């Protein structure tokens, strides 16, 4: 009890609160700018932590981490361009809600879901960080392969009515993820002599191209129809409690998925959001409406990607293993403060870590307040006439693509993907499966190849229930979803044919 | 444009691209020794993916023959072509004269092109927005943007 009150006292010091407020506002803004992400936001703030005390410095970094993940959802909802790759799944229902004039509700759902996800995973982090970290170590490449295969089934979900085209788009996405250096042999693949392609396609320029450029090209190619303009409710509005109660299972399920995926090293928030979305598509209350502006899709994506923040800190703090680039940068912030993450962290620095956990909860609460205050200002952007908005989106997207690595080549990559996305849309091919493939492709390939190494090239051994019971269950679920989606698609096609005759 | 033509054009394009990538995937430069790749070549997964997309594209092609009577809305190719050319010109120009000096004329042209032609607001927005983005990135976020040969940071 004494430790808890000391932790709360350290976390609510004026200096710490100010650091969290500045970090939250900064994180939301940087996260909302397409192309910039959590890593960049934390890296920019890192030099400021040198002269700060330990707790405010950690609080600043944690606030930026949580808020930058959330910030990505704002641009995903407003302009169909995710500020960060973690919010790619948010676009699937967020932007359709904006098109329906419900941007205030969309931001409200996203903010509240993000806060819930963040707090949920923090509580899990506080209660069982060491135990979870040890369990995560048992999750090897075969289980990861099965998990990713399961989440790839959401391609079928986002391609209702055009499943063949959706599957082709998904395959294209995974293929594009294989461009560049092979992770096992170091051989450069499909670079066609272009040096910049040896590292593969970067996710941000690709996503910016597919959605922002694709959307602008698509709008330019169609005659402007004033009747299609909808009244836009700008601002911030939280849906009534009964609406939340209808979707509480998705909220909890997505928070659990996000926390668990966050614990697994090398997966990350983008993967978590697509897994949660896929799971909602399978088991959600409003699963039939997903992809058309259904809040359940927003909840799935935003709860899970923010739940990753707490989950990812489990191996980082308890084992000293950073799961991704963001946690690696965060780990360096801790080391700068003289704190060495690892198995002895909680024993060596109990006061600091308890204060950090309290700060993480406060950061998430602050996130709600900042989101609610900033949303009315940010959403007003939608009242700008479309030609101005599209021109500004183009400039911002160009800067976003360029800012990833300071290379004009990335802007051309965005243009290439933008033109490709427009042509795909023209042929009635859904774009979301390409992004799903691009996000999950690298982990899919790596886990498959590593799994084949473990089983000496025997793919069927992946599903031996005696050796890999988790993988067996996950693959069974995957096969069932594929069979169900195919059966449903054939049924729909036959019904359509019957109606026509 | 008919739905059948749309599907047919898409599937034929995907088959042609798939065949080209397959040919690339079987090139000798991707043949590594078993000691290096443990029995699975670097193009092992890409070949599976390409093979699958060719097979599905063939199914789509066959299915498209029954959909020639269904109509779908078309696009204004000329308008789009001109706009894409404008964007390419903008990015090309950006490498030569920098972000700020290329973004201002691009914003003016893009707004005018999309039908917003009120001179004063166009001029103000086209100047203020790139200026704000440039200032924010270069001086606040410390992310350098392409600059002109005439000034060190502009």
């Amino acid at each position: 009890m004494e430790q808890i009150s000391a932790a709360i006292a350290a976390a609510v010091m004026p200096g710490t609160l100010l650091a969290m407020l500045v970090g939250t506002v900064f994180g939301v803004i940087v996260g909302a700018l397409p192309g910039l992400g959590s890593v960049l936001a934390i890296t920019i703030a890192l030099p400021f932590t040198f002269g700060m005390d330990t707790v405010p410095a950690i609080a600043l970094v944690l606030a930026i981490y949580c808020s930058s993940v959330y910030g990505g959802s704002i641009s995903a909802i407003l302009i169909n361009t995710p500020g960060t790759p973690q919010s790619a799944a948010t676009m699937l229902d967020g932007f359709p809600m904006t098109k329906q004039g419900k941007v205030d509700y969309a931001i409200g759902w996203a903010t509240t879901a993000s806060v819930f996800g963040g707090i949920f995973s923090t509580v899990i982090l506080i209660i069982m960080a060491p135990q979870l970290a040890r369990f995560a170590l048992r999750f090897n490449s075969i289980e990861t392969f099965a998990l990713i295969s399961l989440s790839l089934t959401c391609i079928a979900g986002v391609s209702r009515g055009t499943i063949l085209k959706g599957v082709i788009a998904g395959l294209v996405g995974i293929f594009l993820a294989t461009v560049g250096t092979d992770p096992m042999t170091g051989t450069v693949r499909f670079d066609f002599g272009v040096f910049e392609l040896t590292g593969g396609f970067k996710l941000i320029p690709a996503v910016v191209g597919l959605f922002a450029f694709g959307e602008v090209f698509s709008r330019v190619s169609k005659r402007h129809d004033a009747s299609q303009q909808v009244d836009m409710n700008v601002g911030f509005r939280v849906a009534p409690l009964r609406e939340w109660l209808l979707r509480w299972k998705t909220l909890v399920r997505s928070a659990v998925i996000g926390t668990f995926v966050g614990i697994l090293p090398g997966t990350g928030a983008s993967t978590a959001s697509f897994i949660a979305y896929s799971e909602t598509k399978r088991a959600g209350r409003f699963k039939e409406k997903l992809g058309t502006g259904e809040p359940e899709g927003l909840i799935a994506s935003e709860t899970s990607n923010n739940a990753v923040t707490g989950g990812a800190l489990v191996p980082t703090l308890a084992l000293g293993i950073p799961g991704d680039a963001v946690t690696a940068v965060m780990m360096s912030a801790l080391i700068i403060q003289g704190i060495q993450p690892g198995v002895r962290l909680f024993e060596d620095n109990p006061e600091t870590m308890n204060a950090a956990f309290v700060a993480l909860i406060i950061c998430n609460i602050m996130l709600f307040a900042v989101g609610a205050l900033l949303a009315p200002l940010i959403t007003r952007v939608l009242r700008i006439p479309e030609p101005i908005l599209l021109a500004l989106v183009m400039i911002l997207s160009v800067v976003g693509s360029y800012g990833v690595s300071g290379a004009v080549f990335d802007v051309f990559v965005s243009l290439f993907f933008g033109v490709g996305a427009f042509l795909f849309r023209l042929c009635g091919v859904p774009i979301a499966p390409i992004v799903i493939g691009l996000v999950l492709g690298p982990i899919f390939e790596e886990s498959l190849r590593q799994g084949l190494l473990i089983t000496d090239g025997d793919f069927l051994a992946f599903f031996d229930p005696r050796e890999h019971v988790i993988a067996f269950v996950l693959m069974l679920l995957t096969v069932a979803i594929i069979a169900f989606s195919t059966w449903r698609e054939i049924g729909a096609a036959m019904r359509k044919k019957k109606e026509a005759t | 444009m008919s739905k059948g033509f749309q599907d047919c054009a898409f599937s034929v394009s995907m088959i042609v691209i798939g065949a080209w990538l397959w040919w690339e995937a079987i090139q000798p430069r991707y043949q590594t020794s078993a000691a290096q790749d443990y029995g699975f070549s670097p193009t092992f997964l890409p070949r599976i993916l390409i093979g699958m997309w060719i097979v599905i594209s063939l199914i789509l092609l066959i299915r498209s023959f029954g959909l020639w009577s269904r109509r779908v809305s078309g696009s204004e190719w000329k308008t789009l072509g001109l706009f894409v050319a404008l964007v390419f010109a903008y990015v090309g120009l950006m490498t030569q004269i920098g972000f700020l000096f290329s973004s201002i004329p691009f914003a003016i042209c893009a707004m005018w092109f999309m039908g917003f032609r009120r001179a004063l607001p166009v001029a103000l927005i086209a100047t203020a927005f790139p200026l704000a983005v440039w200032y924010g990135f270069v001086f606040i976020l410390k992310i350098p943007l392409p600059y002109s040969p005439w000034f060190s940071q502009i």
Side-chain angles (χ1 to χ4, degrees):
Chain A
M1 196 64 204
E2 202 176 295
Q3 275 188 347
I4 293 170
S5 43
I8 293 171
V12 296
M13 295 281 281
T16 313
L17 287 175
L18 184 67
M20 282 190 271
L21 182 65
V22 170
T24 306
V25 174
F26 178 70
V28 170
I29 292 169
V30 175
L33 290 171
L36 314 181
S38 309
V39 178
L40 186 81
I42 297 171
T43 312
I44 291 168
L46 214 52
F48 295 100
T49 65
F50 295 166
M52 293 167 79
D53 288 337
T54 308
V55 176
I58 295 172
L60 175 74
V61 174
L62 288 173
I64 294 173
Y65 181 32
C66 296
S67 55
S68 57
V69 174
Y70 157 73
S73 69
I74 295 175
S75 43
I77 291 167
L78 294 185
I79 56 171
N80 203 24
T81 305
T84 57
Q86 293 99 312
S87 299
T90 307
M91 284 183 305
L92 302 177
D93 282 282
F95 190 61
M97 280 184 85
T98 299
K99 276 183 168 172
Q100 293 161 15
K102 299 177 192 162
V103 68
D104 51 346
Y105 273 120
I107 298 279
W109 283 107
T111 310
T112 317
S114 297
V115 170
F116 179 83
I119 292 177
F120 180 93
S121 64
T122 307
V123 172
I124 297 291
L125 171 70
I126 294 168
I127 298 171
M128 47 200 302
Q131 296 90 323
L132 279 172
R134 275 194 290 274
F135 174 72
L137 288 180
R138 282 193 220 153
F139 220 82
N140 71 25
S141 52
I142 293 174
E143 281 75 17
T144 305
F145 172 77
L147 183 70
I148 299 300
S149 300
L150 178 65
S151 46
L152 280 171
T153 59
C154 73
I155 286 174
V158 296
S159 319
R160 285 284 295 278
T162 54
I163 199 159
L164 287 180
K165 290 177 182 174
V167 172
I168 294 175
L171 291 168
V172 169
I174 304 173
F175 173 78
L176 290 170
T178 67
V179 171
T181 309
D182 173 30
M184 304 295 276
T185 63
T187 308
V188 178
R189 302 172 294 187
F190 307 105
D191 65 326
F192 302 104
V194 180
F195 173 74
E196 286 85 350
L197 280 181
T198 52
F201 290 112
K202 292 183 193 84
L203 195 57
I204 285 286
V207 173
V208 166
L210 284 169
F211 287 98
F213 286 18
E215 180 71 27
V216 174
F217 292 160
S218 183
R219 289 201 197 188
V220 168
S221 75
K222 286 178 182 137
R223 267 182 204 286
H224 181 71
D225 183 0
S227 66
Q228 284 182 354
Q229 294 275 55
V230 289
D231 286 333
M232 202 60 73
N233 294 323
V234 297
F236 178 89
R237 202 180 289 191
V238 179
L241 186 64
R242 65 172 186 281
E243 292 287 323
W244 283 99
L245 291 175
L246 289 172
R247 297 166 178 89
W248 73 270
K249 282 185 187 169
T250 300
L251 194 69
V252 175
R253 189 174 46 232
S254 305
V256 172
I257 290 172
T259 308
F260 181 70
V261 173
I263 294 166
L264 302 176
T267 43
S270 325
T271 311
S273 60
F274 277 114
I275 292 176
Y277 194 85
S278 159
E279 195 48 29
T280 307
K281 194 77 199 170
R282 189 187 66 79
R285 186 172 188 141
F286 301 98
K287 58 186 176 191
E288 301 295 325
K289 289 188 191 166
L290 248 63
T292 62
E294 166 52 46
E296 204 167 16
L298 263 179
I299 293 175
S301 169
E302 281 306 304
T303 311
S304 56
N305 68 20
N306 267 70
V308 165
T309 56
L313 290 174
V314 172
T316 310
L317 299 178
L319 299 173
I321 304 169
D324 54 15
V326 189
T327 42
V329 178
M330 288 198 47
M331 205 164 123
S332 57
L334 289 172
I335 294 168
I336 287 167
Q337 291 297 324
I339 295 168
Q340 183 60 52
V343 284
R344 293 194 54 81
L345 175 70
F346 295 93
E347 287 170 34
D348 293 346
N349 307 281
E351 302 88 10
T352 310
M353 291 326 295
N354 288 337
F357 291 151
V358 175
L360 199 52
I361 290 177
I362 297 173
C363 287
N364 278 291
I365 296 166
M366 217 174 246
L367 186 64
F368 187 85
V370 169
L373 288 172
L374 286 182
L377 294 173
I378 297 174
T379 52
R380 272 176 211 284
V381 82
L382 294 171
R383 290 205 169 142
I384 297 172
E386 187 172 287
I388 300 175
L389 185 62
L390 295 186
L392 304 189
V393 165
M394 285 302 291
I395 291 175
L396 210 53
S397 302
V398 164
V399 174
S401 305
Y402 178 83
V404 174
S405 55
V408 176
F409 179 78
D410 288 335
V411 184
F412 282 109
V413 167
S414 286
L415 278 171
F416 165 76
F417 274 92
V419 173
F422 170 75
L423 293 174
F424 268 44
R425 278 174 177 219
L426 196 69
C427 295
V429 182
I431 301 302
I434 304 178
V435 181
I436 297 170
L438 268 168
V439 169
L440 301 178
I443 311 169
F444 180 77
E445 184 180 22
E446 202 178 322
S447 56
L448 171 67
R449 300 273 294 276
Q450 284 176 352
L452 286 170
L453 270 181
I454 293 168
T455 59
D456 213 11
D458 183 6
F459 184 64
L460 290 177
F462 279 37
F463 318 114
D464 185 347
R466 291 162 300 177
E467 295 269 332
H468 307 286
V469 65
I470 302 172
F472 177 74
V473 172
L474 291 171
M475 282 316 286
L476 221 58
L477 214 54
T478 307
V479 172
I481 292 171
I482 292 171
F484 175 70
S485 303
T486 313
W487 173 75
R488 193 175 53 187
E489 194 76 4
I490 292 170
M494 285 178 80
R495 268 197 306 278
K496 215 178 245 178
K497 206 173 179 182
K498 220 174 185 178
E499 280 166 18
T501 53
Chain B
M1 184 166 53
S2 85
K3 175 98 171 64
F5 175 76
Q6 191 191 54
D7 284 9
C8 182
F10 173 71
S11 45
V12 168
S13 309
M14 291 311 294
I15 291 167
V16 171
I17 295 169
W20 172 56
L21 290 172
W22 182 275
W23 179 80
E24 169 70 18
I26 56 169
Q27 290 302 303
R29 64 175 164 275
Y30 296 122
Q31 308 301 321
T32 42
S33 68
Q36 200 185 347
D37 63 22
Y38 307 98
F40 294 96
S41 104
T43 55
F44 158 72
L45 179 66
R47 273 185 283 173
I48 294 174
L49 298 169
I50 297 164
M52 282 170 73
W53 105 35
I54 289 176
V55 170
I56 299 170
S57 298
L58 277 170
I59 298 170
L60 199 64
L61 181 64
I62 294 163
R63 202 185 67 168
S64 72
F65 296 129
L67 301 168
W68 285 87
S69 55
R70 279 172 58 187
R71 312 295 300 174
V72 288
S73 61
S75 292
E76 288 187 26
W77 287 97
K78 197 179 154 193
T79 316
L80 178 71
L82 284 170
F83 186 75
V84 172
L86 179 69
V87 178
F88 270 95
Y90 165 47
V91 179
L93 204 62
M94 198 168 78
T95 59
Q96 303 300 314
I97 61 169
F99 168 77
L100 196 58
F101 292 131
S102 58
S103 295
I104 294 172
F106 169 76
I108 293 170
C109 293
M111 282 187 259
W112 180 85
F113 190 83
M114 288 184 273
F116 190 81
R117 292 170 190 177
R118 286 157 56 191
L120 189 64
V122 165
L124 281 175
I125 296 164
T127 311
F129 186 75
L131 205 63
V133 171
W134 168 78
Y135 184 83
F137 271 72
V138 175
F139 293 106
I140 299 173
L141 297 174
K142 307 281 180 201
I143 298 171
L145 293 176
Y147 51 86
S148 69
W150 314 296
F151 305 99
S152 63
Q153 283 185 309
I154 306 174

